Amino acid sequence: MDEVNVGIVGLGNVGSGTVTILAENAEQIALKLGFRLRVKSVSSLDADTRVLPEALGAVERTLDWRQVATHPEVDIVVELVGGTTIAREILETAIDHKKSVITANKELMALCGPDIWDRAIRAGVNVAMEASVAGGIPIHAVLREGISGDRVEALYGILNGTSNFILTEIEKRGDSLETVLAEAQRLGYAEANPSADIDGFDARSKLAILSALAFGERITPSDIYTEGIRRISPIDFQYAQRLDHTIRLLCAARQTKDGLILSVRPALIPRSTILASVHGSYNAVWVKGHYGEDTFYYGRGAGSRPTGVAVVSDLMRVAREIRYGHPERVSPFAHERLGEYNPIPVTRQKRAYYLRFRVVDRPGIIAALAGILSEKRISLDAVLQLPCDNKGDVPFVITVEPSPEQAVQEAVEKMSALDFLLEPPLALPMETGL
Ligand SMILES: NC(=O)c1ccc[n+]([C@@H]2O[C@H](COP(=O)([O-])OP(=O)(O)OC[C@H]3O[C@@H](n4cnc5c(N)ncnc54)[C@H](OP(=O)(O)O)[C@@H]3O)[C@@H](O)[C@H]2O)c1
Protein backbone atom coordinates (compact mmCIF):
# COMPACT_ATOMS: atom_id res chain seq x y z
CA MET A 1 0.00 0.00 0.00
CA ASP A 2 1.30 3.48 -0.84
CA GLU A 3 1.99 5.83 2.02
CA VAL A 4 1.47 9.56 2.43
CA ASN A 5 4.26 11.09 4.50
CA VAL A 6 3.52 13.53 7.27
CA GLY A 7 5.80 16.01 9.04
CA ILE A 8 4.72 17.49 12.37
CA VAL A 9 6.13 20.64 13.96
CA GLY A 10 5.11 21.04 17.62
CA LEU A 11 4.57 18.14 20.01
CA GLY A 12 2.76 19.93 22.84
CA ASN A 13 -0.89 19.35 23.80
CA VAL A 14 -2.26 19.03 20.29
CA GLY A 15 0.89 17.54 18.75
CA SER A 16 1.05 14.72 21.30
CA GLY A 17 -2.68 13.96 20.89
CA THR A 18 -2.17 13.86 17.13
CA VAL A 19 0.77 11.41 17.21
CA THR A 20 -1.02 9.21 19.76
CA ILE A 21 -4.06 8.89 17.49
CA LEU A 22 -1.89 8.34 14.40
CA ALA A 23 -0.13 5.52 16.26
CA GLU A 24 -3.04 3.88 18.09
CA ASN A 25 -5.60 4.24 15.31
CA ALA A 26 -3.28 3.54 12.37
CA GLU A 27 -5.10 0.40 11.19
CA GLN A 28 -8.53 2.02 11.13
CA ILE A 29 -7.13 5.06 9.37
CA ALA A 30 -5.42 2.90 6.74
CA LEU A 31 -8.64 0.94 6.15
CA LYS A 32 -10.66 4.13 5.75
CA LEU A 33 -8.11 5.68 3.40
CA GLY A 34 -6.89 2.68 1.47
CA PHE A 35 -3.31 3.66 2.27
CA ARG A 36 -1.19 4.49 5.33
CA LEU A 37 -0.32 7.84 6.88
CA ARG A 38 3.32 7.67 7.92
CA VAL A 39 4.87 10.13 10.36
CA LYS A 40 8.18 10.77 8.64
CA SER A 41 9.65 13.65 10.61
CA VAL A 42 8.85 15.64 13.75
CA SER A 43 10.22 18.79 15.33
CA SER A 44 9.85 20.41 18.73
CA LEU A 45 12.23 22.14 21.08
CA ASP A 46 12.76 18.81 22.89
CA ALA A 47 12.42 16.48 19.87
CA ASP A 48 15.71 14.74 20.63
CA THR A 49 14.56 13.45 24.03
CA ARG A 50 10.84 13.12 23.37
CA VAL A 51 9.29 9.67 23.84
CA LEU A 52 7.15 8.86 20.80
CA PRO A 53 4.65 5.97 20.51
CA GLU A 54 6.50 2.85 19.34
CA ALA A 55 3.81 2.04 16.80
CA LEU A 56 4.89 5.07 14.75
CA GLY A 57 8.03 3.15 13.75
CA ALA A 58 11.20 5.02 12.81
CA VAL A 59 10.60 8.77 12.88
CA GLU A 60 13.21 11.39 12.06
CA ARG A 61 13.51 13.98 14.83
CA THR A 62 14.92 17.48 14.61
CA LEU A 63 15.09 20.66 16.66
CA ASP A 64 15.03 22.64 13.42
CA TRP A 65 11.50 22.98 12.01
CA ARG A 66 12.92 23.88 8.57
CA GLN A 67 14.07 20.30 8.14
CA VAL A 68 10.44 19.20 8.40
CA ALA A 69 8.96 22.02 6.31
CA THR A 70 11.42 21.42 3.44
CA HIS A 71 11.84 17.63 3.79
CA PRO A 72 11.87 16.16 0.25
CA GLU A 73 9.81 13.11 1.28
CA VAL A 74 7.20 14.88 3.42
CA ASP A 75 3.87 15.43 1.61
CA ILE A 76 1.92 17.26 4.34
CA VAL A 77 3.32 19.56 7.05
CA VAL A 78 1.35 20.01 10.27
CA GLU A 79 2.00 23.22 12.26
CA LEU A 80 1.13 22.82 15.95
CA VAL A 81 3.43 25.44 17.47
CA GLY A 82 1.00 28.36 17.90
CA GLY A 83 1.62 32.12 17.78
CA THR A 84 1.88 34.23 14.69
CA THR A 85 5.62 34.43 13.96
CA ILE A 86 7.38 31.06 13.61
CA ALA A 87 4.05 29.39 12.83
CA ARG A 88 3.59 31.66 9.83
CA GLU A 89 7.14 30.96 8.65
CA ILE A 90 6.55 27.22 8.97
CA LEU A 91 3.37 27.33 6.88
CA GLU A 92 4.84 29.64 4.24
CA THR A 93 8.06 27.64 3.93
CA ALA A 94 6.14 24.38 3.56
CA ILE A 95 3.77 25.90 0.98
CA ASP A 96 6.71 27.30 -0.98
CA HIS A 97 8.10 23.76 -1.01
CA LYS A 98 4.81 22.53 -2.53
CA LYS A 99 3.55 20.80 0.58
CA SER A 100 -0.05 20.94 1.75
CA VAL A 101 -0.34 22.29 5.28
CA ILE A 102 -2.50 21.70 8.32
CA THR A 103 -2.75 24.01 11.29
CA ALA A 104 -4.67 24.34 14.55
CA ASN A 105 -3.69 27.97 14.87
CA LYS A 106 -6.75 30.22 15.16
CA GLU A 107 -4.76 33.33 15.99
CA LEU A 108 -2.67 33.08 12.84
CA MET A 109 -5.52 32.02 10.56
CA ALA A 110 -7.79 34.82 11.82
CA LEU A 111 -5.06 37.36 11.09
CA CYS A 112 -3.42 35.98 7.95
CA GLY A 113 -5.70 33.14 6.76
CA PRO A 114 -6.65 34.81 3.46
CA ASP A 115 -2.98 35.47 2.56
CA ILE A 116 -1.90 31.95 3.49
CA TRP A 117 -4.74 30.52 1.41
CA ASP A 118 -3.85 32.70 -1.59
CA ARG A 119 -0.25 31.55 -1.33
CA ALA A 120 -1.33 27.89 -1.18
CA ILE A 121 -3.65 28.26 -4.17
CA ARG A 122 -0.81 29.79 -6.19
CA ALA A 123 1.44 26.88 -5.15
CA GLY A 124 -1.25 24.30 -6.01
CA VAL A 125 -1.43 22.85 -2.49
CA ASN A 126 -4.11 22.63 0.18
CA VAL A 127 -4.63 24.22 3.61
CA ALA A 128 -6.72 22.58 6.34
CA MET A 129 -7.50 24.17 9.67
CA GLU A 130 -10.33 22.21 11.29
CA ALA A 131 -8.69 22.21 14.72
CA SER A 132 -8.38 25.99 14.82
CA VAL A 133 -11.99 26.53 15.97
CA ALA A 134 -13.96 24.49 18.50
CA GLY A 135 -11.31 21.70 18.57
CA GLY A 136 -13.55 18.65 18.74
CA ILE A 137 -16.44 19.96 16.61
CA PRO A 138 -15.97 19.46 12.85
CA ILE A 139 -17.42 22.87 12.12
CA HIS A 140 -15.15 23.72 9.17
CA ALA A 141 -16.30 20.60 7.36
CA VAL A 142 -19.90 21.54 8.15
CA LEU A 143 -19.57 25.05 6.74
CA ARG A 144 -17.41 24.09 3.75
CA GLU A 145 -19.19 20.85 2.89
CA GLY A 146 -22.14 19.75 5.04
CA ILE A 147 -24.32 22.86 4.69
CA SER A 148 -22.39 24.71 2.01
CA GLY A 149 -25.48 24.67 -0.22
CA ASP A 150 -27.35 26.87 2.25
CA ARG A 151 -27.17 30.64 2.67
CA VAL A 152 -26.18 31.37 6.26
CA GLU A 153 -28.21 34.11 7.92
CA ALA A 154 -26.77 33.91 11.42
CA LEU A 155 -24.19 31.99 13.38
CA TYR A 156 -24.02 31.91 17.17
CA GLY A 157 -21.37 30.17 19.18
CA ILE A 158 -19.89 29.44 22.55
CA LEU A 159 -16.32 29.22 21.38
CA ASN A 160 -14.15 29.66 24.46
CA GLY A 161 -14.25 26.72 26.86
CA THR A 162 -12.37 28.50 29.66
CA SER A 163 -14.77 31.42 29.90
CA ASN A 164 -17.75 29.09 29.59
CA PHE A 165 -16.36 26.98 32.42
CA ILE A 166 -15.87 30.11 34.55
CA LEU A 167 -19.36 31.48 33.85
CA THR A 168 -21.12 28.20 34.51
CA GLU A 169 -19.15 27.70 37.76
CA ILE A 170 -20.07 31.22 38.94
CA GLU A 171 -23.68 30.37 38.15
CA LYS A 172 -23.56 27.02 39.92
CA ARG A 173 -21.62 27.98 43.05
CA GLY A 174 -22.18 31.69 43.44
CA ASP A 175 -18.40 32.28 43.77
CA SER A 176 -16.69 35.35 42.31
CA LEU A 177 -14.93 35.30 38.96
CA GLU A 178 -11.56 35.73 40.72
CA THR A 179 -12.15 32.64 42.90
CA VAL A 180 -13.30 30.45 40.01
CA LEU A 181 -10.49 31.68 37.75
CA ALA A 182 -7.85 30.91 40.40
CA GLU A 183 -9.23 27.40 40.73
CA ALA A 184 -9.34 26.93 36.94
CA GLN A 185 -5.68 28.01 36.81
CA ARG A 186 -4.77 25.56 39.57
CA LEU A 187 -6.49 22.72 37.68
CA GLY A 188 -4.79 23.71 34.41
CA TYR A 189 -8.06 24.74 32.69
CA ALA A 190 -6.95 28.37 32.44
CA GLU A 191 -3.61 29.90 31.43
CA ALA A 192 -1.43 31.77 33.94
CA ASN A 193 -2.20 34.83 31.80
CA PRO A 194 -5.94 34.37 31.21
CA SER A 195 -6.49 37.49 29.12
CA ALA A 196 -6.94 35.77 25.72
CA ASP A 197 -9.73 33.68 27.20
CA ILE A 198 -11.55 35.98 29.59
CA ASP A 199 -11.15 39.20 27.58
CA GLY A 200 -12.69 37.52 24.52
CA PHE A 201 -9.67 37.63 22.15
CA ASP A 202 -9.46 33.86 21.65
CA ALA A 203 -13.18 33.68 20.86
CA ARG A 204 -12.81 36.69 18.56
CA SER A 205 -10.19 34.88 16.41
CA LYS A 206 -12.47 31.86 16.17
CA LEU A 207 -15.51 33.95 15.22
CA ALA A 208 -13.42 35.74 12.56
CA ILE A 209 -12.61 32.37 10.97
CA LEU A 210 -16.12 30.92 11.26
CA SER A 211 -17.84 34.01 9.91
CA ALA A 212 -15.39 34.16 7.00
CA LEU A 213 -16.30 30.55 6.20
CA ALA A 214 -20.02 31.08 6.73
CA PHE A 215 -20.39 34.33 4.80
CA GLY A 216 -17.46 34.16 2.38
CA GLU A 217 -16.25 37.57 3.47
CA ARG A 218 -12.78 38.75 4.47
CA ILE A 219 -13.36 39.26 8.20
CA THR A 220 -10.54 40.44 10.44
CA PRO A 221 -10.61 40.37 14.24
CA SER A 222 -10.88 44.18 14.29
CA ASP A 223 -14.30 43.89 12.55
CA ILE A 224 -15.65 42.19 15.67
CA TYR A 225 -16.95 44.12 18.69
CA THR A 226 -15.29 42.39 21.64
CA GLU A 227 -15.98 42.50 25.36
CA GLY A 228 -14.83 39.91 27.91
CA ILE A 229 -16.40 38.46 31.05
CA ARG A 230 -14.32 40.23 33.74
CA ARG A 231 -17.26 42.30 35.01
CA ILE A 232 -19.71 39.41 35.38
CA SER A 233 -20.48 38.67 39.03
CA PRO A 234 -22.70 36.16 40.88
CA ILE A 235 -25.32 38.87 41.35
CA ASP A 236 -25.71 39.09 37.55
CA PHE A 237 -26.66 35.42 37.45
CA GLN A 238 -29.19 36.00 40.24
CA TYR A 239 -30.82 38.82 38.30
CA ALA A 240 -30.57 36.90 35.01
CA GLN A 241 -32.36 33.99 36.67
CA ARG A 242 -35.16 36.31 37.84
CA LEU A 243 -35.55 37.25 34.18
CA ASP A 244 -35.54 33.56 33.18
CA HIS A 245 -32.20 34.03 31.44
CA THR A 246 -28.58 32.99 31.94
CA ILE A 247 -25.30 34.59 30.83
CA ARG A 248 -22.85 33.26 28.24
CA LEU A 249 -19.91 34.71 26.32
CA LEU A 250 -21.82 34.75 23.06
CA CYS A 251 -20.11 34.91 19.67
CA ALA A 252 -22.58 36.22 17.13
CA ALA A 253 -22.47 36.92 13.40
CA ARG A 254 -25.77 38.07 11.95
CA GLN A 255 -26.71 39.20 8.51
CA THR A 256 -28.93 42.31 8.56
CA LYS A 257 -30.27 44.28 5.62
CA ASP A 258 -27.47 46.81 6.17
CA GLY A 259 -24.57 44.39 6.64
CA LEU A 260 -23.01 41.87 8.94
CA ILE A 261 -22.99 42.52 12.71
CA LEU A 262 -20.23 40.67 14.54
CA SER A 263 -19.71 40.53 18.28
CA VAL A 264 -18.12 38.56 21.09
CA ARG A 265 -19.61 39.67 24.39
CA PRO A 266 -21.37 38.41 27.50
CA ALA A 267 -25.09 38.38 26.83
CA LEU A 268 -28.28 37.36 28.57
CA ILE A 269 -29.78 34.38 26.78
CA PRO A 270 -33.13 32.74 27.59
CA ARG A 271 -32.84 29.66 29.81
CA SER A 272 -35.01 27.84 27.29
CA THR A 273 -32.52 28.22 24.43
CA ILE A 274 -30.31 25.28 23.55
CA LEU A 275 -27.18 27.41 24.06
CA ALA A 276 -28.08 27.82 27.74
CA SER A 277 -27.51 24.07 28.16
CA VAL A 278 -23.86 24.36 27.12
CA HIS A 279 -22.00 23.97 30.41
CA GLY A 280 -18.39 23.78 31.52
CA SER A 281 -15.65 23.72 28.92
CA TYR A 282 -17.88 22.53 26.09
CA ASN A 283 -18.29 24.53 22.88
CA ALA A 284 -21.30 24.84 20.59
CA VAL A 285 -22.13 26.41 17.26
CA TRP A 286 -25.62 27.16 16.06
CA VAL A 287 -26.10 28.01 12.40
CA LYS A 288 -29.30 29.46 10.98
CA GLY A 289 -29.60 28.86 7.26
CA HIS A 290 -32.04 30.47 4.86
CA TYR A 291 -33.07 27.13 3.35
CA GLY A 292 -32.05 24.46 5.83
CA GLU A 293 -32.98 26.52 8.92
CA ASP A 294 -31.36 25.59 12.23
CA THR A 295 -28.46 23.19 12.78
CA PHE A 296 -26.56 22.83 16.05
CA TYR A 297 -23.11 21.40 16.76
CA TYR A 298 -21.74 20.56 20.19
CA GLY A 299 -18.54 19.07 21.55
CA ARG A 300 -15.21 19.58 23.25
CA GLY A 301 -13.67 22.93 22.39
CA ALA A 302 -10.10 21.93 23.18
CA GLY A 303 -7.93 19.21 24.64
CA SER A 304 -5.17 17.03 23.33
CA ARG A 305 -7.31 14.21 21.94
CA PRO A 306 -10.43 16.00 20.65
CA THR A 307 -8.19 18.50 18.86
CA GLY A 308 -5.93 15.65 17.75
CA VAL A 309 -8.95 14.02 16.08
CA ALA A 310 -9.54 17.21 14.12
CA VAL A 311 -5.89 17.32 12.98
CA VAL A 312 -5.86 13.63 12.00
CA SER A 313 -9.16 14.01 10.10
CA ASP A 314 -7.65 16.98 8.23
CA LEU A 315 -4.64 14.80 7.45
CA MET A 316 -6.92 12.13 6.02
CA ARG A 317 -8.85 14.65 3.91
CA VAL A 318 -5.68 16.20 2.49
CA ALA A 319 -3.95 12.82 2.01
CA ARG A 320 -6.96 11.56 0.03
CA GLU A 321 -6.64 14.56 -2.22
CA ILE A 322 -2.93 13.91 -2.72
CA ARG A 323 -3.59 10.24 -3.55
CA TYR A 324 -6.81 10.44 -5.55
CA GLY A 325 -6.94 14.08 -6.62
CA HIS A 326 -9.79 16.12 -5.19
CA PRO A 327 -8.70 19.71 -5.40
CA GLU A 328 -10.32 22.21 -3.09
CA ARG A 329 -8.81 25.34 -4.46
CA VAL A 330 -11.27 28.12 -3.65
CA SER A 331 -10.21 30.03 -0.59
CA PRO A 332 -12.83 29.68 2.13
CA PHE A 333 -12.05 33.19 3.34
CA ALA A 334 -13.50 35.38 0.64
CA HIS A 335 -15.65 34.84 -2.37
CA GLU A 336 -14.58 38.15 -3.83
CA ARG A 337 -17.58 38.52 -6.11
CA LEU A 338 -20.17 38.28 -3.36
CA GLY A 339 -19.24 41.25 -1.18
CA GLU A 340 -22.78 41.41 0.19
CA TYR A 341 -22.11 40.97 3.87
CA ASN A 342 -19.87 43.90 4.74
CA PRO A 343 -19.29 44.19 8.47
CA ILE A 344 -21.06 47.13 10.11
CA PRO A 345 -20.67 48.45 13.70
CA VAL A 346 -22.54 46.75 16.51
CA THR A 347 -23.93 50.18 17.51
CA ARG A 348 -26.45 49.73 14.68
CA GLN A 349 -28.16 46.79 16.31
CA LYS A 350 -31.40 47.11 18.26
CA ARG A 351 -31.77 44.99 21.35
CA ALA A 352 -33.35 44.87 24.78
CA TYR A 353 -30.61 45.56 27.37
CA TYR A 354 -29.91 44.58 30.93
CA LEU A 355 -28.35 47.46 32.87
CA ARG A 356 -26.84 46.56 36.23
CA PHE A 357 -25.91 49.28 38.72
CA ARG A 358 -24.05 49.34 42.03
CA VAL A 359 -25.00 52.42 43.99
CA VAL A 360 -24.77 54.11 47.35
CA ASP A 361 -28.43 54.11 48.34
CA ARG A 362 -30.22 57.47 48.49
CA PRO A 363 -33.47 58.97 47.20
CA GLY A 364 -33.79 60.03 43.57
CA ILE A 365 -31.52 57.41 42.00
CA ILE A 366 -34.12 55.77 39.75
CA ALA A 367 -35.42 59.19 38.69
CA ALA A 368 -31.91 60.31 37.68
CA LEU A 369 -31.27 57.14 35.66
CA ALA A 370 -34.74 57.18 34.09
CA GLY A 371 -34.17 60.83 33.11
CA ILE A 372 -31.05 59.88 31.11
CA LEU A 373 -32.84 56.94 29.47
CA SER A 374 -35.72 59.15 28.46
CA GLU A 375 -33.32 61.79 27.09
CA LYS A 376 -31.85 59.07 24.82
CA ARG A 377 -35.37 57.91 23.86
CA ILE A 378 -34.91 54.55 25.55
CA SER A 379 -38.03 52.99 27.12
CA LEU A 380 -37.64 51.42 30.52
CA ASP A 381 -39.05 47.92 30.79
CA ALA A 382 -38.56 46.84 34.43
CA VAL A 383 -36.66 47.66 37.62
CA LEU A 384 -35.45 44.73 39.73
CA GLN A 385 -33.92 44.89 43.19
CA LEU A 386 -33.07 41.86 45.27
CA PRO A 387 -32.92 42.35 49.08
CA CYS A 388 -29.62 43.89 50.20
CA ASP A 389 -28.40 44.87 53.71
CA ASN A 390 -25.43 47.00 52.70
CA LYS A 391 -26.79 50.46 51.88
CA GLY A 392 -23.32 51.50 50.77
CA ASP A 393 -23.29 49.01 47.87
CA VAL A 394 -26.74 48.25 46.51
CA PRO A 395 -26.96 46.34 43.24
CA PHE A 396 -30.07 46.63 41.11
CA VAL A 397 -31.07 46.18 37.51
CA ILE A 398 -33.04 48.10 34.94
CA THR A 399 -34.10 46.35 31.75
CA VAL A 400 -34.97 48.44 28.73
CA GLU A 401 -37.14 47.80 25.68
CA PRO A 402 -35.36 47.04 22.37
CA SER A 403 -33.29 50.17 21.65
CA PRO A 404 -30.39 51.09 19.35
CA GLU A 405 -27.06 50.09 20.91
CA GLN A 406 -25.71 53.56 20.03
CA ALA A 407 -28.29 55.18 22.33
CA VAL A 408 -27.64 52.66 25.11
CA GLN A 409 -23.88 53.27 24.93
CA GLU A 410 -24.44 57.03 25.09
CA ALA A 411 -26.78 56.64 28.07
CA VAL A 412 -24.28 54.41 29.90
CA GLU A 413 -21.52 56.94 29.31
CA LYS A 414 -23.65 59.76 30.71
CA MET A 415 -24.76 57.65 33.70
CA SER A 416 -21.13 56.80 34.50
CA ALA A 417 -20.58 60.39 35.69
CA LEU A 418 -23.34 60.17 38.36
CA ASP A 419 -21.82 60.42 41.82
CA PHE A 420 -23.97 57.72 43.47
CA LEU A 421 -22.58 54.99 41.20
CA LEU A 422 -19.76 52.81 42.62
CA GLU A 423 -18.73 51.73 39.11
CA PRO A 424 -19.98 52.39 35.58
CA PRO A 425 -23.21 50.55 34.73
CA LEU A 426 -22.83 47.09 33.21
CA ALA A 427 -24.85 46.87 29.98
CA LEU A 428 -25.53 43.44 28.48
CA PRO A 429 -27.71 42.75 25.45
CA MET A 430 -30.65 40.41 25.98
CA GLU A 431 -30.68 37.96 23.09
CA THR A 432 -34.36 37.16 23.50
CA GLY A 433 -34.75 36.02 19.88
CA LEU A 434 -32.54 32.93 20.18
N1 LIG B 1 -4.43 23.04 23.45
C1 LIG B 1 -5.58 22.92 22.82
O1 LIG B 1 -6.48 22.24 23.31
C2 LIG B 1 -5.81 23.57 21.51
C3 LIG B 1 -7.08 23.47 20.90
C4 LIG B 1 -7.29 24.01 19.63
C5 LIG B 1 -6.25 24.66 19.01
N2 LIG B 1 -5.02 24.78 19.63
C6 LIG B 1 -3.95 25.44 18.90
O2 LIG B 1 -2.95 24.46 18.61
C7 LIG B 1 -1.66 25.07 18.57
C8 LIG B 1 -0.74 24.33 19.53
O3 LIG B 1 -1.28 24.42 20.84
P1 LIG B 1 -0.74 23.52 22.05
O4 LIG B 1 -1.69 23.72 23.15
O5 LIG B 1 -0.46 22.16 21.57
O6 LIG B 1 0.64 24.28 22.37
P2 LIG B 1 1.86 23.76 23.27
O7 LIG B 1 1.43 22.68 24.17
O8 LIG B 1 2.50 24.98 23.83
O9 LIG B 1 2.85 23.11 22.19
C9 LIG B 1 3.65 23.86 21.33
C10 LIG B 1 4.73 22.96 20.77
O10 LIG B 1 5.51 23.71 19.83
C11 LIG B 1 6.88 23.42 20.07
N3 LIG B 1 7.70 24.54 19.59
C12 LIG B 1 7.75 25.80 20.06
N4 LIG B 1 8.62 26.52 19.34
C13 LIG B 1 9.12 25.68 18.40
C14 LIG B 1 10.09 25.82 17.38
N5 LIG B 1 10.72 26.96 17.15
N6 LIG B 1 10.40 24.75 16.63
C15 LIG B 1 9.80 23.56 16.83
N7 LIG B 1 8.84 23.36 17.80
C16 LIG B 1 8.53 24.43 18.57
C17 LIG B 1 6.96 23.21 21.55
O11 LIG B 1 8.14 22.48 21.85
P3 LIG B 1 8.50 22.07 23.39
O12 LIG B 1 7.42 21.16 23.86
O13 LIG B 1 9.77 21.34 23.27
O14 LIG B 1 8.57 23.38 24.12
C18 LIG B 1 5.69 22.39 21.79
O15 LIG B 1 5.93 21.04 21.48
C19 LIG B 1 -1.89 26.54 18.92
O16 LIG B 1 -2.03 27.27 17.74
C20 LIG B 1 -3.22 26.51 19.67
O17 LIG B 1 -3.92 27.74 19.58
C21 LIG B 1 -4.79 24.24 20.84
Side-chain angles (χ1 to χ4, degrees):
M1 209 166 7
D2 277 349
E3 290 175 340
V4 166
N5 286 334
V6 176
I8 300 176
V9 187
L11 295 172
N13 282 314
V14 183
S16 57
T18 300
V19 294
T20 301
I21 296 165
L22 285 171
E24 289 180 7
N25 209 22
E27 296 307 318
Q28 278 259 349
I29 292 169
L31 285 173
K32 285 177 183 165
L33 284 175
F35 57 86
R36 281 188 178 278
L37 291 179
R38 177 161 147 68
V39 180
K40 183 81 189 165
S41 173
V42 297
S43 170
S44 76
L45 299 180
D46 68 353
D48 43 355
T49 54
R50 174 64 66 126
V51 178
L52 292 173
E54 260 180 42
L56 287 183
V59 178
E60 294 171 23
R61 300 148 177 266
T62 171
L63 303 185
D64 177 9
W65 60 262
R66 283 173 203 281
Q67 289 186 16
V68 178
T70 62
H71 195 298
E73 287 173 53
V74 164
D75 302 298
I76 309 170
V77 172
V78 185
E79 178 278 308
L80 300 173
V81 170
T84 54
T85 52
I86 292 174
R88 184 174 186 165
E89 271 190 77
I90 295 167
L91 292 183
E92 291 184 346
T93 306
I95 290 169
D96 292 348
H97 284 77
K98 305 278 182 217
K99 295 174 195 317
S100 286
V101 292
I102 288 168
T103 179
N105 193 327
K106 68 224 123 189
E107 203 189 347
L108 179 64
M109 293 314 278
L111 277 177
C112 321
D115 299 334
I116 289 168
W117 258 97
D118 288 348
R119 199 179 186 112
I121 288 169
R122 284 199 304 276
V125 294
N126 207 345
V127 180
M129 50 184 185
E130 184 65 77
S132 62
V133 180
I137 307 174
I139 190 66
H140 288 236
V142 163
L143 292 172
R144 294 206 71 199
E145 293 162 27
I147 59 165
S148 60
D150 208 339
R151 177 176 283 258
V152 177
E153 292 182 340
L155 181 149
Y156 297 98
I158 291 177
L159 298 176
N160 183 267
T162 304
S163 53
N164 205 56
F165 171 82
I166 291 171
L167 290 177
T168 53
E169 285 299 300
I170 297 174
E171 178 171 37
K172 201 161 71 187
R173 295 158 23 182
D175 287 337
S176 70
L177 183 136
E178 292 72 23
T179 306
V180 176
L181 173 61
E183 190 183 318
Q185 286 169 320
R186 214 170 39 249
L187 294 171
Y189 299 157
E191 303 282 341
N193 177 356
S195 175
D197 291 323
I198 68 173
D199 293 323
F201 304 127
D202 172 86
R204 178 177 72 171
S205 295
K206 294 167 176 170
L207 183 65
I209 295 173
L210 286 193
S211 44
L213 263 60
F215 298 99
E217 225 26 85
R218 265 177 196 250
I219 310 282
T220 63
S222 58
D223 292 323
I224 301 174
Y225 175 84
T226 305
E227 208 181 291
I229 61 168
R230 283 187 198 265
R231 293 198 59 200
I232 305 299
S233 67
I235 193 81
D236 293 311
F237 281 99
Q238 289 173 31
Y239 280 112
Q241 187 163 17
R242 288 282 287 262
L243 295 161
D244 216 10
H245 281 60
T246 186
I247 302 168
R248 293 287 184 268
L249 182 66
L250 189 69
C251 302
R254 286 178 298 109
Q255 180 201 353
T256 69
K257 63 179 176 18
D258 301 318
L260 194 58
I261 299 185
L262 300 150
S263 61
V264 172
R265 64 195 317 189
L268 265 73
I269 62 174
R271 295 179 78 80
S272 57
T273 179
I274 192 164
L275 284 174
S277 312
V278 180
H279 293 281
S281 60
Y282 276 89
N283 277 197
V285 183
W286 181 5
V287 187
K288 288 171 175 276
H290 181 70
Y291 301 103
E293 301 179 12
D294 297 46
T295 55
F296 187 80
Y297 312 91
Y298 172 85
R300 289 269 173 216
S304 178
R305 290 180 175 217
T307 312
V309 170
V311 174
V312 172
S313 304
D314 268 352
L315 271 169
M316 292 171 71
R317 193 173 304 125
V318 173
R320 251 188 219 114
E321 176 196 319
I322 290 172
R323 269 289 159 273
Y324 304 129
H326 172 65
E328 244 184 276
R329 294 283 187 266
V330 175
S331 166
F333 277 101
H335 315 311
E336 301 285 0
R337 281 155 303 154
L338 287 178
E340 60 197 275
Y341 301 115
N342 284 331
I344 57 169
V346 77
T347 46
R348 289 173 64 177
Q349 80 172 4
K350 208 171 172 190
R351 283 283 178 280
Y353 284 84
Y354 161 102
L355 306 175
R356 191 257 291 148
F357 305 91
R358 283 177 55 207
V359 299
V360 179
D361 201 14
R362 71 180 198 216
I365 287 177
I366 299 288
L369 297 171
I372 293 176
L373 290 174
S374 141
E375 194 186 300
K376 298 292 172 189
R377 308 179 70 82
I378 297 169
S379 300
L380 194 148
D381 174 44
V383 178
L384 287 90
Q385 186 171 356
L386 293 167
C388 171
D389 293 337
N390 181 0
K391 298 296 172 207
D393 185 357
V394 178
F396 70 93
V397 162
I398 294 178
T399 58
V400 301
E401 300 281 355
S403 315
E405 170 127 359
Q406 179 71 36
V408 173
Q409 284 189 10
E410 286 172 13
V412 164
E413 196 181 328
K414 192 150 190 200
M415 289 168 174
S416 300
L418 297 169
D419 63 358
F420 52 76
L421 282 178
L422 293 169
E423 62 180 24
L426 172 72
L428 303 177
M430 298 179 71
E431 296 289 346
T432 48
L434 289 180

